[in-house]
Every structure is written in C-alpha cells, then in structure tokens.
Amino acid sequence: PSRLRRGGGVKGRILFVAPSAYTRGGLAEWLHRLDPDLRSLGWETVVGLVEGPVHHRPERYVAAHPHDRWVAIPCRTGTDTGRARAVAGAIREADPDLVVSVNIPAALHAVERMGAPADGPRAVMTIHGIQPEIYRDAARFREVLSGVVSTNRLGCRLATRLAGIPERRV
C-alpha cells in the first residue's frame, strides 16, 4: 500500500520545511494561507521551522503566522551537514509522505541522505524567485525531487531549462 493512504479520509501528511527569520513577507503569508487550504482538502500538514542562534526564531514566526501543527528544527552546528541532520530528525519525527522545501535546501539534502525517493518520503521544492542559486539547488537535487512548484511560469521554465527538471515534474 502507498504511504499516501493513511486512512480516515486523510490523503497523506506533508511536512513543510521553512525559514522562521521572516515574519513579514510573501513567503510567510503564502504558507500561512496554504496550510489551512490543504487541511480542508484532507491533507495533514506540519510546518517545520528552522531555528538558529540569531534570526531564525520559530516562536516569533508562529506568533505572527499561527499554524495548528508546527515543530522547531534547531541546528546547533551551523554547518550544512548539521542542518541536514536536524531536518532529518524532524522528518523522522513527523513521518511525512511528502517533504516540501520552502527555501531550505537542507530539507532536500536530508531527504537525499535518508535514501529517498526509494525508501523515504517524496520531496518537492517550491520556487518563489528567480535567483540563480535557487536553480543551482534544484539541479543539485533533481534526482531526489518528485516535483517542483513555482509561483509563476518563468520559474517553471527556469526549473526545466536551468536545473534540468523534466517538465512532467514541474
């Protein structure tokens, strides 16, 4: 049976891995509005907010943008490997069917380290901009990604042309 069939009318569980440094702005508002919409369609959602020593403060973020289910993802080391390990811990705890990276490449690194897509959750990357580093990340993790979601057609085209993501997954 597919992991996406959880029973009780639930389509599956989605873990969004997002920054918590920005309490004002389009990205936070997008996720704030998307979360209840997905729940109304039968998805369980968990918002994983990265936590850091200075700017990333999940409690401050949730005070500005409440979510029913959220977890802090602390990274004590500040390294790429440390971030991937911290996110992998949150993934194991949340047991999602789908991990959605919201400007957090460490989420894709964590899914890759866990052996996905074969043995772990599927991964999706959201693209909310046109900065070159976004497409370098997409290219780096293209074998892990089940899909890419962009807020506009230009982002979709760049995902296929610059990152080499097949059109059917964009």
Side-chain angles (χ1 to χ4, degrees), residues 33-51:
R33 290 173 185 256
L34 180 63
D35 187 14
D37 288 346
L38 287 171
R39 283 186 280 112
S40 75
L41 294 171
W43 292 90
E44 288 182 7
T45 58
V46 179
V47 176
L49 297 168
V50 295
E51 182 177 43

Side-chain angles (χ1 to χ4, degrees), residues 125 133-143 145 159 162-165:
M125 178 180 184
E133 59 271 11
I134 293 172
Y135 300 95
R136 281 194 294 273
D137 289 338
R140 157 73 175 88
F141 294 107
R142 78 173 141 245
E143 298 304 319
L145 290 168
L162 295 181
I165 308 293

Side-chain angles (χ1 to χ4, degrees), residues 2-170:
S2 169
R3 289 186 59 171
L4 289 176
R5 294 197 177 101
R6 291 201 177 257
V10 173
K11 292 181 179 179
R13 181 174 301 136
I14 302 171
L15 172 64
F16 290 93
V17 181
S20 63
Y22 319 107
T23 59
R24 297 174 193 232
L27 193 63
E29 189 61 31
W30 169 82
L31 185 54
H32 182 74
R33 290 173 185 256
L34 180 63
D35 187 14
D37 288 346
L38 287 171
R39 283 186 280 112
S40 75
L41 294 171
W43 292 90
E44 288 182 7
T45 58
V46 179
V47 176
L49 297 168
V50 295
E51 182 177 43
V54 179
H55 301 291
H56 289 276
R57 299 286 189 219
E59 292 81 13
R60 208 170 40 201
Y61 180 96
V62 173
H65 298 282
H67 291 279
D68 288 344
R69 295 184 66 197
W70 68 276
V71 295
I73 304 174
C75 177
R76 309 261 187 264
T77 67
T79 66
D80 290 340
T81 300
R83 281 188 286 278
R85 284 183 184 149
V87 174
I91 292 170
R92 282 190 292 279
E93 187 174 321
D95 187 31
D97 302 291
L98 191 62
V99 174
V100 179
S101 170
V102 183
N103 288 2
I104 304 292
L108 303 173
H109 187 193
V111 171
E112 180 180 60
R113 289 172 57 107
M114 296 174 83
D119 297 326
R122 291 175 19 208
V124 170
M125 178 180 184
T126 64
I127 295 180
H128 298 265
I130 58 170
Q131 298 88 341
E133 59 271 11
I134 293 172
Y135 300 95
R136 281 194 294 273
D137 289 338
R140 157 73 175 88
F141 294 107
R142 78 173 141 245
E143 298 304 319
V144 175
L145 290 168
S146 292
V148 170
V149 177
S150 180
T151 55
N152 59 61
R153 290 182 188 160
L154 176 58
C156 292
R157 271 183 277 176
L158 292 173
T160 58
R161 290 188 183 154
L162 295 181
I165 308 293
E167 271 188 53
R168 70 184 182 283
R169 290 193 283 149
V170 178

